[in-house]
Amino acid sequence: QFGFKSHHSTDMCVYALKEIVRYYLSKSTPVFACFMDASKAFDKLNYFTLFEKLLKRKMPVLIIRIL
């Protein structure tokens, strides 16, 4: 959401991400990341049908709630 806030830029986002990764790597903790561009993915979608299908395929509820 950095691109939609005043005085925030993608540079700030990249910096924050790098600092978070650096912190966890310094603690010898594995770091996992997922990047998704969903800007147009949900324009013309029936959410109920999508979530119902994801639940039937045993997608974790937490992931569905994030979507």
Side-chain angles (χ1 to χ4, degrees):
Q1 296 297 319
F2 280 83
F4 300 105
K5 294 181 178 182
S6 61
H7 307 296
H8 289 77
S9 68
T10 55
D11 292 341
M12 176 81 82
C13 183
V14 170
Y15 172 76
L17 176 64
K18 286 174 69 174
E19 287 301 309
I20 291 167
V21 170
R22 184 176 296 130
Y23 171 80
Y24 283 103
L25 289 178
S26 74
K27 305 287 185 192
S28 298
T29 303
V31 178
F32 302 95
C34 175
F35 301 95
M36 181 174 73
D37 180 5
S39 58
K40 294 187 181 187
F42 299 108
D43 283 352
K44 297 177 182 177
L45 183 67
N46 183 328
Y47 297 104
F48 180 77
T49 302
L50 170 66
F51 298 150
E52 189 176 64
K53 288 182 178 187
L54 292 174
L55 285 170
K56 285 182 182 176
R57 294 182 182 189
K58 302 195 184 320
M59 174 72 76
V61 175
L62 178 62
I63 301 298
I64 296 171
R65 290 184 67 191
I66 290 171
L67 292 173

